[in-house]
Amino acid sequence: MVYLAHTAHPQYAAMWLGAVGWILTVVTTGLVEWRVWVVADVSVITSGMVWVGIWRVCFFSHILVSPELRVMFCQKMRLSDAFTPWEIAVAQVLMMVAAVLGLLASASVIYGLRNIFFGLDKKIHILVAFSLGGVLYLLTAVCSLIPLCLNFNSVVQNQTIAFPDIFHVPPAPVEQHVGGGIAVGISASIMMVTSGIVFLTYQFPLKMDYQIQSSWPAKPQDSNPVFALSSPLSLVCSKDRNKVCGGKDNLAFESQKHA
């Protein structure tokens, strides 16, 4: 059994970093605060602010309410709707792809760490799992960053959206700001990029010690069993059993024997 756990401490931390980044990416997909619009007409939009996400458009109102949200009124934006901007349509597709890729990346790196911490000597499996997980984390970050940057650019350029009349939202805001959803998504992408790089830079140890060594040094004469068994002294003793090997006669014993 090969001990490899001490070689994967950075990868263990990167697994948690990538998992948190993936969870935040999923959260970002459902957030409605991607683009914050400030409107002048507050007769219907009593809060004066509209939150534009990639799936819904919401605002607070005491006139129009959604049954499940009480004072908040929301309308869905679908990929097939003609008024949906292309950057939001791209975000709907790529953010879902990013969620799936992040899940596969987490599963791959967990499998690699399982082989390491359980002492399974599967070098190819570990390297493939870490490499695949690192690449998938990088792809997840790219799929997330593209729609985030596109919508960030739309906010900077103050682009408009031709909402239908049922939305009760003007096509152009007075001003718009970057919402918290984009900030959360960018932070999640940075986490996954860092995690992917850590997994791709993992190096399997080149030299592994499978032997168990003694805790005390061996004596020089014991290091060679052939020498220990075939020493000249042992050969002499084996031929002549009456000969005392390596010792002196006890004179007192001899005197009592002949008495």
Side-chain angles (χ1 to χ4, degrees), residues 23 65-66 123 145 186 194 205 207 221 231 245:
I23 293 173
V65 294
S66 298
K123 177 179 178 180
L145 280 174
I186 293 176
T194 305
K207 183 178 180 181
Q221 62 271 20
S231 60
C245 301

Short mmCIF file of all heavy atoms in Angstrom, two decimals, residues 23 65-66 123 145 186 194 205 207 221 231 245:
data_model
loop_
_atom_site.label_atom_id
_atom_site.label_comp_id
_atom_site.label_asym_id
_atom_site.label_seq_id
_atom_site.Cartn_x
_atom_site.Cartn_y
_atom_site.Cartn_z
N ILE A 23 -21.48 25.67 -6.41
CA ILE A 23 -22.75 25.98 -5.74
C ILE A 23 -23.13 27.44 -5.98
O ILE A 23 -24.30 27.76 -6.25
CB ILE A 23 -22.63 25.68 -4.24
CG1 ILE A 23 -22.49 24.16 -4.03
CG2 ILE A 23 -23.84 26.20 -3.49
CD1 ILE A 23 -22.22 23.77 -2.59
N VAL A 65 -49.26 42.48 -8.03
CA VAL A 65 -48.55 41.54 -7.18
C VAL A 65 -48.68 40.15 -7.78
O VAL A 65 -49.64 39.84 -8.47
CB VAL A 65 -49.09 41.53 -5.73
CG1 VAL A 65 -48.84 42.86 -5.05
CG2 VAL A 65 -50.58 41.19 -5.71
N SER A 66 -47.66 39.35 -7.51
CA SER A 66 -47.72 37.93 -7.87
C SER A 66 -48.24 37.16 -6.65
O SER A 66 -47.86 37.47 -5.52
CB SER A 66 -46.33 37.42 -8.25
OG SER A 66 -45.87 38.12 -9.40
N LYS A 123 -2.39 4.80 -10.09
CA LYS A 123 -1.76 6.03 -10.55
C LYS A 123 -2.50 6.63 -11.74
O LYS A 123 -2.80 7.83 -11.76
CB LYS A 123 -0.30 5.76 -10.92
CG LYS A 123 0.43 6.97 -11.48
CD LYS A 123 1.87 6.63 -11.79
CE LYS A 123 2.59 7.84 -12.39
NZ LYS A 123 4.00 7.53 -12.71
N LEU A 145 -18.37 32.73 -17.15
CA LEU A 145 -17.84 34.08 -17.36
C LEU A 145 -18.37 34.73 -18.63
O LEU A 145 -18.55 35.95 -18.67
CB LEU A 145 -16.31 34.04 -17.38
CG LEU A 145 -15.61 33.97 -16.03
CD1 LEU A 145 -14.11 33.77 -16.22
CD2 LEU A 145 -15.87 35.24 -15.23
N ILE A 186 -19.02 36.11 -10.85
CA ILE A 186 -17.60 36.33 -11.13
C ILE A 186 -16.74 35.75 -10.02
O ILE A 186 -15.69 35.12 -10.26
CB ILE A 186 -17.31 37.82 -11.34
CG1 ILE A 186 -17.99 38.31 -12.63
CG2 ILE A 186 -15.82 38.09 -11.39
CD1 ILE A 186 -17.85 39.80 -12.88
N THR A 194 -9.16 28.81 -10.02
CA THR A 194 -8.10 28.47 -9.08
C THR A 194 -8.09 26.97 -8.78
O THR A 194 -7.04 26.32 -8.77
CB THR A 194 -8.28 29.26 -7.77
OG1 THR A 194 -8.33 30.65 -8.06
CG2 THR A 194 -7.13 28.98 -6.81
N PRO A 205 4.11 11.35 -7.09
CA PRO A 205 5.50 11.17 -6.62
C PRO A 205 6.24 10.16 -7.49
O PRO A 205 5.73 9.08 -7.80
CB PRO A 205 5.33 10.68 -5.18
CG PRO A 205 3.92 10.20 -5.10
CD PRO A 205 3.14 11.02 -6.06
N LYS A 207 9.17 8.58 -6.75
CA LYS A 207 9.78 7.49 -6.00
C LYS A 207 8.91 7.17 -4.80
O LYS A 207 8.57 8.06 -4.03
CB LYS A 207 11.19 7.88 -5.53
CG LYS A 207 11.92 6.76 -4.80
CD LYS A 207 13.32 7.20 -4.40
CE LYS A 207 14.06 6.09 -3.69
NZ LYS A 207 15.41 6.51 -3.27
N GLN A 221 28.10 -7.80 11.51
CA GLN A 221 28.24 -9.23 11.31
C GLN A 221 26.90 -9.91 11.03
O GLN A 221 26.86 -11.02 10.50
CB GLN A 221 28.92 -9.88 12.52
CG GLN A 221 28.14 -9.75 13.82
CD GLN A 221 28.49 -8.48 14.56
OE1 GLN A 221 29.02 -7.55 13.95
NE2 GLN A 221 28.24 -8.45 15.87
N SER A 231 30.88 -18.96 9.34
CA SER A 231 32.10 -18.37 9.88
C SER A 231 33.09 -19.47 10.24
O SER A 231 32.69 -20.61 10.53
CB SER A 231 31.78 -17.54 11.13
OG SER A 231 31.18 -18.35 12.11
N CYS A 245 34.48 -23.45 22.03
CA CYS A 245 34.63 -22.37 21.04
C CYS A 245 34.49 -21.03 21.71
O CYS A 245 33.46 -20.76 22.35
CB CYS A 245 33.58 -22.52 19.96
SG CYS A 245 33.67 -24.10 19.09
#
